Each structure stands twice: as C-alpha cells, then as structure tokens.
Amino acid sequence: MQSYVNFVDNYLSGILAAGAVVLCGLLVISFLVVPYVLAMKTYKLHKWLEQNGKIAEGTVVTLFTRMSRAGAWTEKEYAQYSFLTEENRTFTGEFSQRRKNPFPLESKVKVYYNPLNPEENCTQDNIKEEHLFHILFLAGIIFMAIVIVVTAICVALV
C-alpha cells in the first residue's frame, strides 16, 4: 500500500509541476497573442490599401520623437506626411523612421489610401515594418513553445 501511495505522490507532483509550467507558458504566450492580433488587423488594412487603394505622392512635413517601450523606454523617430487625394483634399499620416537613411523634411513618399476613407492610409515603410514584426513574433512564439515543452518534460522527469 505504501508503494502505491509513493507512486501516486511522485506521479502527481511531476504532473502538477509540469502542468504549472505549461500553464504559465500559455499565459505568457496569450499576452503576446493579443498585441499580435491587433497588429494583424493593421497589417491586413495596409495590405488591402497596397493592393486596392489609390496611390498619391506624399511629402514629409514634420519630424518628431516619441517615447516607446520595447524592453526599455527609448525615443523613436517618426515622420508625419501629408498628401492630396484625387478630390484635392489634404490628409496626413505617420510612420516610424528608419535608423539608416531616415526621410528628411520635404522628402517624397508613396502613400496608399482608401478613396472612400482617406484617413485610412499608409506608406511603403509601414508595410515593410510589419513584415519584420511578423517574422520576429512567430520566431518568438516558436521559441517560447519549445522552452515550455522542454521545461515541462524536464520537470516531469525529475
């Protein structure tokens, strides 16, 4: 009887420890998935604009910095642009500046916009940024999943 109790204690403690690791890992991953889903909405809009929207020439009108948090608080450079629609209405948008070869004031940018709602607009730089974000996010999720599985297996074996 004692050996049966020891077996159940050891088995349950291993399962509970592994389950706790997996549960914590799933919780962390869920905190990553919510921003990703929101970013996917923006990405889909920008892809739609690139494929179906009108194209206008925009001009960089303002350069500014904004504090952002990517691990630590840092200043990130942004550019605001304005463009004219086919109806000669002016609209604006913004994008984060590249570290190499940032856009100077008065430089020209290609703007994609929704002709029914020109406030929905983006530049080619917005779209390029999103490709890198998707690659890094998916690599991070795969890495997290591998760490969680390996940790759970190690905990269960101990």
Side-chain angles (χ1 to χ4, degrees), residues 80-134:
Q80 183 181 40
Y81 58 88
S82 69
F83 66 97
L84 284 174
T85 64
E86 290 177 342
E87 296 80 26
N88 284 329
R89 293 176 31 206
T90 302
F91 288 89
T92 62
E94 65 183 46
F95 59 90
S96 61
Q97 286 275 45
R98 297 181 235 155
R99 290 183 190 261
K100 293 182 181 178
N101 303 322
F103 286 92
L105 280 174
E106 302 299 319
S107 60
K108 303 298 181 195
V109 292
K110 183 190 272 188
V111 178
Y112 302 96
Y113 70 94
N114 180 348
L116 301 176
N117 182 9
E119 290 180 7
E120 292 179 348
N121 62 72
C122 70
T123 65
Q124 190 65 37
D125 273 33
N126 294 119
I127 296 166
K128 286 179 186 174
E129 286 176 2
E130 291 160 354
H131 289 299
L132 179 62
F133 172 76
H134 292 304

